[in-house]
């Protein structure tokens, strides 16, 4: 129907305006730049891939078929990597000095107030109605 087409055309116009995609921009963008501009101006709708693929056909052939260029890391990513490396170095220094105690894999004691430290291999047992028991025959369901 015409009203749906008109609505979708208006939405695409808004996306292209938000992405600043005009004739001049189309001549200066790479394939990846075009895709990113469209993605950044939409909210992950299902039709975005179709629009990207259609818009790529408007790019010059050498741009359409150019291999993706991996750009250098952003300053923000470099900063995060440096922070992670600093934290790792700090942790290693604390481990060597004895200040840092790695978590024990046997964490049963950490949760002793959540079940009284009972054996987790048998469920139910003495109270009846617990569920699966260590024999695997469900005999603790109702007097079996």
């Amino acid at each position: 129907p015409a009203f749906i087409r008109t609505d979708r055309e208006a939405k695409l116009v808004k996306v292209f305006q938000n992405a600043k995609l005009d004739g001049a921009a189309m001549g200066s963008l790479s394939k990846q730049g075009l895709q990113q501009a469209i993605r950044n101006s939409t909210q992950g709708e299902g039709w975005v891939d179709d629009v990207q693929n259609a818009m790529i056909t408007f790019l010059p052939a050498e741009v359409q078929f150019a291999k993706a260029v991996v750009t250098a890391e952003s300053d923000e990513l470099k900063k995060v990597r440096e922070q992670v490396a600093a934290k790792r170095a700090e942790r290693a220094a604390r481990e060597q000095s004895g200040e840092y105690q790695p978590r024990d894999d046997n964490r049963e004691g950490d949760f002793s107030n959540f079940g009284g430290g009972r054996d987790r291999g048998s469920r139910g047992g003495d109270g009846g109605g617990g569920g699966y028991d260590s024999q695997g025959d469900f005999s603790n369901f109702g007097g079996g």
Side-chain angles (χ1 to χ4, degrees):
F3 72 92
I4 292 176
R5 184 175 52 248
T6 304
D7 182 52
R8 291 198 179 154
E9 286 173 356
K11 185 168 181 115
L12 287 173
V13 166
K14 188 175 179 181
V15 167
F16 296 151
Q17 288 173 341
N18 288 341
K20 297 176 177 52
L21 294 176
D22 56 15
M26 290 294 290
S28 66
L29 286 173
S30 67
K31 180 178 170 180
Q32 292 77 22
L34 174 65
Q35 290 171 322
Q36 184 175 7
I38 293 171
R39 272 195 309 272
N40 289 344
S41 297
T42 58
Q43 298 175 0
E45 293 94 344
W47 49 265
V48 172
D49 289 340
D50 294 331
V51 171
Q52 288 176 337
N53 291 335
M55 292 297 291
I56 288 169
T57 65
F58 293 113
L59 294 172
E62 63 272 6
V63 176
Q64 287 182 39
F65 302 109
K67 292 190 179 203
V69 176
V70 178
T71 59
E73 289 183 353
S74 69
D75 290 337
E76 183 179 350
L77 182 57
K78 287 179 185 178
K79 184 177 176 182
V80 169
R81 288 186 191 275
E82 289 170 3
Q83 290 172 343
V84 168
K87 286 186 181 211
R88 286 183 179 158
E90 180 184 327
R91 181 177 176 179
R94 286 187 6 229
E95 284 178 354
Q96 286 183 353
S97 70
E99 290 179 36
Y100 177 78
Q101 296 295 322
R103 209 194 292 184
D104 187 5
D105 287 341
N106 181 7
R107 296 175 26 183
E108 187 69 36
D110 294 347
F111 302 102
S112 60
N113 59 339
F114 285 103
R118 68 180 175 182
D119 179 21
R120 292 185 181 174
S122 66
R123 303 279 184 202
D126 62 339
Y132 181 82
D133 63 9
S134 59
Q135 287 78 34
D137 60 4
F138 299 98
S139 61
N140 58 337
F141 277 106

